[in-house]
Amino acid sequence: MNKIRVLAAGSLRLVWPVLVDAFEKQHPPLTVETLFGPAGLLRQRFEQGERCDLFASANVAHPHTLLQEGNALSVSVFTSNRLCLTLLPHLKARSPLDLLSDPNLRIATSTPLSDPSGDYTWQLFDRIEQQHPEVGNGLKKRALQLVGGAQSSPVPPDEVAGCWLLKTGQADIFIGYRSYAQRVEQDRAFALVDLPESWQIRADYAFAMCEAKARPLANFLLSPRAQEILQASGFDQIRKGHPLAL
């Protein structure tokens, strides 16, 4: 009765234990049990009967769908993220446009529809196409959807997807979340390159409170302490004026 079951986006895996530890210290005897995975696939599992008290997604669309279906009591945005490139150090001196335009470089992404990271990446390609005709559409054709899908090889639990793909020789560049920057930059075998602001896609994260017992955790995720933890881990502040940011 005191356990809150959470389905959470895989990109929260590194920061979530810190959040849960702070929450449990504030709210004994409540405990949190969490299953991580691509948010789109987790939503499917929930809709097929997986038990869930709180669903934490890397986008707003999946929680909002649960609300519309009558499977959630409320939805709130609690943090946000951005995209960047993870690559090998010798490539870092080149511009993002030069890197992504090079047909000799293998570009890896997450899987659209199954994982919001893939959806955001395809939005990025559309934005690039608007500014650099043929480049964005070319990226859609070249991109290797190597993680985040139902049939994708699982990323080892102690690995960051981009680093793992590069280390195992599956890609030269990975387009993923900037919240992994601290972890990536700790390893000199990899480098990180930010995208131009005019390309940038803002990834808002939202949770759906599916059962009333999750209300203490929902309130905590919006608290100054949780926001402090998220920002220290590389996530961005909640966007002011967002209709779901309480």
Side-chain angles (χ1 to χ4, degrees):
M1 189 67 180
N2 292 327
K3 182 178 291 185
I4 300 171
R5 192 159 197 273
V6 176
L7 299 183
S11 52
L12 292 167
R13 188 186 300 272
L14 297 181
V15 69
W16 197 254
V18 184
L19 288 167
V20 167
D21 181 64
F23 168 75
E24 291 179 346
K25 287 178 178 176
Q26 287 186 15
H27 296 84
L30 295 178
T31 60
V32 178
E33 176 187 62
T34 307
L35 174 67
F36 295 100
L41 298 183
L42 288 180
R43 193 191 100 196
Q44 290 178 14
R45 291 177 62 164
F46 177 52
E47 291 171 334
Q48 292 167 4
E50 184 99 20
R51 191 173 71 80
C52 174
D53 300 316
L54 186 137
F55 178 86
S57 176
N59 69 2
V60 178
H62 292 316
H64 190 62
T65 296
L66 295 180
L67 184 66
Q68 289 182 317
E69 293 172 344
N71 291 322
L73 302 175
S74 64
V75 170
S76 297
V77 171
F78 67 100
T79 193
S80 66
N81 214 333
R82 288 170 288 160
L83 297 177
C84 69
L85 308 180
T86 299
L87 38 70
L88 300 175
H90 73 275
L91 297 172
K92 188 173 183 179
R94 297 169 62 178
S95 72
L97 180 59
D98 184 34
L99 289 166
L100 296 180
S101 300
D102 188 338
N104 296 312
L105 295 177
R106 295 167 298 165
I107 312 294
T109 74
S110 193
T111 305
L113 301 181
S114 295
D115 186 3
S117 176
D119 297 328
Y120 293 130
T121 301
W122 254 245
Q123 291 175 36
L124 167 68
F125 293 161
D126 287 337
R127 189 159 294 182
I128 293 173
E129 180 66 20
Q130 292 173 2
Q131 300 176 34
H132 305 280
E134 302 306 320
V135 176
N137 288 340
L139 283 164
K140 288 183 180 181
K141 296 175 183 177
R142 289 171 47 215
L144 305 172
Q145 301 172 34
L146 298 182
V147 294
Q151 306 302 319
S152 301
S153 298
V155 178
D158 58 340
E159 295 272 10
V160 172
C163 297
W164 177 70
L165 291 173
L166 270 59
K167 182 167 59 178
T168 54
Q170 299 180 63
D172 302 301
I173 298 173
F174 179 71
I175 303 175
Y177 291 127
R178 203 186 189 288
S179 56
Y180 289 115
Q182 295 175 15
R183 179 76 176 269
V184 172
E185 291 171 339
Q186 286 174 359
D187 192 333
R188 294 185 179 181
F190 310 104
L192 184 145
V193 169
D194 284 317
L195 298 173
E197 197 59 37
S198 62
W199 292 5
Q200 193 55 255
I201 304 297
R202 188 177 183 97
D204 285 328
Y205 283 50
F207 63 75
M209 187 177 68
C210 303
E211 298 291 342
K213 65 184 294 185
R215 190 176 303 279
L217 178 58
N219 290 339
F220 173 77
L221 290 173
L222 298 171
S223 71
R225 177 59 182 142
Q227 293 302 304
E228 180 183 89
I229 292 170
L230 285 160
Q231 290 168 48
S233 297
F235 289 84
D236 292 338
Q237 289 182 316
I238 298 173
R239 177 157 48 103
K240 292 182 179 179
H242 195 293
L244 296 177
L246 302 182

